[in-house]
Amino acid sequence: MKFSLLISIYHKEKPEYFDRCMQSIWDEQTIKPNEIILVEDGKLTPQLYKVVDNWQNKIGDIFKIISLEQNVGLGDALNIGLKKCSYELIARMDTDDIALSNRFEKQLQVFENSDIDICSSWVAEFEDDEENIISYKKVPKNHNKIINFAKKRNPINHPAVIYKKSIVQKAGGYKKMFWFEDYYLWIRMILNGAKFYNIQEPLVKMRAGFSQLDRRRGLNYIKAEVKFLTTIKQEGFLNSYEFTRNLIVRLIARSMPKRVLKSIYKRLRD
């Protein structure tokens, strides 16, 4: 099965992380993408351009670059890239993450043998050393459990996803929902009847860990979270009880000390 790989990059990315990401999705894969669509979301640094040039010279026409004059944000950049993808199956990857060598092989097997529209997996989280895994972000396997899980938490690990282009476009693609663009897309895909599946093992190593907890705190994040919950309630995904429960739980979590929140996140993942 042929597939595209969609990546977006902007000037704050670290060149060495992007290079490691590319190694994992090209040099180390048992099945390689048929094309890689890289969206340059605004002007990059000279160091990033150098890495981009190196990979374009290495893999040639498979590596297709879309250069945007201005930074438009991840959601809009991915929508632009989606339109340029040649194949129905599209894999996503973040430029600072690392794919395990059999990631695409295992996901393509699922599409070949199952009637699904979107397939992701667990992810292994690390901070500095990719061999030192500090936690696993686990998500449910089957469609019905994924829908129930989505009522409380994001049911799909975005950096490990492969989805059908037509189904994503039918749901409206990525829309403006600061910090929640991917989660909001999954909800709209569920409401449109898409079929979900998660492989029950990590296929991506993610540079996340607990260093990202700081961005999940503060007034701006709380406002974004309330807007997201309000929107999916209005669109019929949450009932009044589910909305109120989520709002209370999340507001309490955002007000907790970082060390307490860190402990909760680790338990939720493991």
Side-chain angles (χ1 to χ4, degrees):
M1 301 178 76
K2 292 185 175 182
F3 70 101
S4 305
L5 178 68
L6 177 59
I7 311 177
S8 177
I9 190 170
Y10 80 126
H11 71 279
K12 290 187 179 180
E13 304 285 359
K14 292 187 177 182
E16 62 271 24
Y17 289 177
F18 175 47
D19 190 54
R20 179 68 188 98
C21 171
M22 288 297 299
Q23 291 171 14
S24 76
I25 59 182
W26 187 259
D27 293 343
E28 300 171 2
Q29 283 299 311
T30 55
I31 295 180
K32 303 181 191 303
N34 297 95
E35 69 175 1
I36 298 173
I37 303 294
L38 176 70
V39 182
E40 295 177 347
D41 189 9
K43 299 295 184 182
L44 306 181
T45 63
Q47 294 81 6
L48 282 171
Y49 280 126
K50 182 178 180 181
V51 177
V52 172
D53 289 343
N54 288 342
W55 279 100
Q56 188 166 47
N57 290 333
K58 180 173 180 176
I59 60 179
D61 293 340
I62 290 172
F63 196 51
K64 301 174 182 178
I65 300 169
I66 303 169
S67 298
L68 307 181
E69 287 296 320
Q70 303 294 328
N71 179 273
V72 298
L74 180 61
D76 286 343
L78 293 179
N79 281 333
I80 292 169
L82 271 169
K83 295 175 183 177
K84 300 295 184 180
C85 289
S86 305
Y87 303 105
E88 170 70 346
L89 288 182
I90 300 174
R92 273 282 296 121
M93 191 77 180
D94 286 341
T95 53
D96 59 350
D97 294 334
I98 300 166
L100 273 66
S101 62
N102 59 354
R103 176 197 162 176
F104 301 137
E105 179 181 358
K106 290 207 167 189
Q107 290 181 288
L108 292 176
Q109 286 174 352
V110 172
F111 278 99
E112 287 173 349
N113 299 316
S114 307
D115 179 22
I116 62 163
D117 300 305
I118 175 170
C119 175
S120 189
S121 72
W122 298 352
V123 296
E125 295 183 317
F126 70 98
E127 290 184 328
D128 300 313
D129 180 1
E130 66 179 89
E131 300 303 324
N132 182 24
I133 302 303
I134 58 174
S135 65
Y136 294 94
K137 189 175 181 184
K138 298 179 180 180
V139 281
K141 179 179 181 179
N142 295 319
H143 180 77
N144 289 339
K145 289 186 177 181
I146 289 171
I147 293 177
N148 290 333
F149 192 87
K151 298 281 187 177
K152 298 179 181 179
R153 295 165 56 197
N154 192 332
I156 296 290
N157 288 316
H158 193 201
V161 76
I162 295 184
Y163 45 50
K164 292 181 179 177
K165 178 179 179 179
S166 60
I167 303 300
V168 171
Q169 291 179 322
K170 180 182 176 182
Y174 295 88
K175 291 187 177 181
K176 293 288 187 184
M177 188 62 68
F178 197 46
W179 279 315
F180 296 93
E181 288 95 343
D182 61 317
Y183 196 172
Y184 187 34
L185 173 58
W186 316 144
I187 299 303
R188 286 180 283 111
M189 289 176 69
I190 289 171
L191 293 173
N192 273 276
K195 299 175 183 178
F196 286 67
Y197 184 84
N198 282 315
I199 294 172
Q200 297 297 284
E201 62 180 284
L203 296 180
V204 170
K205 295 180 181 180
M206 186 175 176
R207 295 182 189 273
F210 305 119
S211 60
Q212 290 199 354
L213 287 180
D214 283 337
R215 80 171 183 87
R216 295 179 179 173
R217 295 159 54 83
L219 184 59
N220 287 337
Y221 193 87
I222 291 173
K223 288 180 178 178
E225 201 157 35
V226 171
K227 178 183 177 182
F228 169 65
L229 292 173
T230 301
T231 300
I232 61 174
K233 177 180 182 294
Q234 292 172 342
E235 295 185 3
F237 186 69
L238 297 180
N239 60 35
S240 295
Y241 166 74
E242 292 164 341
F243 170 79
T244 303
R245 175 199 62 199
N246 286 357
L247 190 62
I248 292 172
V249 169
R250 288 167 180 262
L251 289 177
I252 290 173
R254 302 312 166 211
S255 63
M256 288 179 176
K258 185 177 177 181
R259 60 181 177 80
V260 176
L261 195 58
K262 176 178 178 179
S263 175
I264 291 174
Y265 266 81
K266 190 173 190 311
R267 285 200 296 269
L268 285 173
R269 274 142 167 74
D270 294 340

